[in-house]
Amino acid sequence: MGRRRAGAHHSRVLLTSVLLLCSCSHPAPTVRGASNTARITQFYAREPVMPKGEKTVLCYGVENAKTVRIEPPVDKVWPAISRCFDIAPAGATTYTLTAEGEDKQPVTRSVAVQIGSALPKIKVVVVSSLSVRAGEQVKVCYVVKNAKSVKIAPGTLVNVPTPQHGCVVDKPAKTTTYTVTASNAEGITDTERATINVK
C-alpha cells in the first residue's frame, strides 16, 4: 500500500511539472507596430489667412519618425517634436507633411494657407504746424497705401479723400490730437496720430 501511494504521488508531481512546462512554452503576445509607425502630433500655420506680401509661420511635430518631408518644399526639415519656420507663399497654397517610421508606412497631414489683402500702411501724416494760437487754422494731410478706406478726425475735409491721400482743416481751441485710421478689405487697420499744441 505504501509503494502505491508513493507511486501515485510521484505521478502527480510529474504531471504537474509537464503542465507547468506547457504553460510556460507559449510566449506572451506582442503588439506589432506600436513604436515603428510614425505619428504626426501637430502641423499648422500660425495665420491660415495671411496678408499679401507678408510672412507667416509653419509648424510641425512628429513622433517615431525616421524621415519627414513637406510638399511643396519650403525649408530643410527633419524629425522633430516641435519645429517652426517662416514661409512666404505667393498665392494660396496647401502644404502636405509626410512622415515615415521604421515600418516605412507613410502618414500625412495637410494645411491650407490662403492669401488676403495686403496690410494697410500709413506712409506719412503731415501737419501745417505743430504749435499754433487758439483759433488759428491748421491743415493735416495723410498718404497711405493698401487701404480700402481712410478716416481722419477731428477736422473738416478740404477735398474728397481717397484711399491714397486726403486732408482736413481745423481751428483748434486747445491742444488737439488728430487720428488717421486706414483699413483694408478685411478690416485690418493702421493708425497714426499727430498732436498740435495750442498756446
Side-chain angles (χ1 to χ4, degrees):
M1 293 294 289
R3 290 193 183 93
R4 284 196 295 270
R5 284 197 297 271
H9 176 71
H10 184 64
S11 299
R12 286 197 297 270
V13 172
L14 289 176
L15 179 59
T16 303
S17 299
V18 172
L19 290 174
L20 289 173
L21 288 173
C22 291
S23 64
C24 296
S25 62
H26 298 288
T30 58
V31 179
R32 296 182 178 180
S35 61
N36 293 333
T37 301
R39 187 167 74 93
I40 297 173
T41 58
Q42 60 178 328
F43 187 47
Y44 66 92
R46 186 179 62 189
E47 295 172 306
V49 179
M50 58 175 289
K52 183 178 180 180
E54 301 295 322
K55 294 181 180 180
T56 190
V57 172
L58 189 67
C59 298
Y60 70 91
V62 296
E63 292 180 353
N64 305 324
K66 292 297 183 181
T67 62
V68 295
R69 66 180 183 274
I70 294 178
E71 297 175 348
V74 286
D75 196 11
K76 185 177 180 180
V77 295
W78 55 84
I81 295 176
S82 180
R83 180 169 178 260
C84 299
F85 52 86
D86 290 339
I87 57 172
T93 305
T94 297
Y95 297 96
T96 300
L97 171 66
T98 301
E100 291 185 8
E102 292 182 354
D103 60 0
K104 304 298 183 181
Q105 295 299 314
V107 291
T108 64
R109 189 179 298 182
S110 297
V111 62
V113 176
Q114 304 296 324
I115 305 299
S117 300
L119 293 177
K121 178 64 178 178
I122 299 174
K123 299 176 68 175
V124 65
V125 175
V126 180
V127 297
S128 57
S129 179
L130 291 175
S131 180
V132 298
R133 294 187 297 271
E136 185 178 350
Q137 180 173 291
V138 295
K139 190 175 185 179
V140 182
C141 299
Y142 66 81
V143 177
V144 305
K145 67 176 183 177
N146 303 330
K148 184 179 180 181
S149 63
V150 183
K151 296 179 180 179
I152 181 171
T156 302
L157 292 171
V158 297
N159 56 10
V160 178
T162 70
Q164 289 77 41
H165 56 80
C167 298
V168 298
V169 292
D170 195 23
K171 295 181 179 180
K174 60 182 180 179
T175 297
T176 303
T177 297
Y178 297 84
T179 303
V180 180
T181 304
S183 304
N184 69 1
E186 278 77 32
I188 299 173
T189 62
D190 185 27
T191 301
E192 194 68 48
R193 295 176 176 85
T195 298
I196 296 179
N197 295 311
V198 175
K199 300 174 183 178

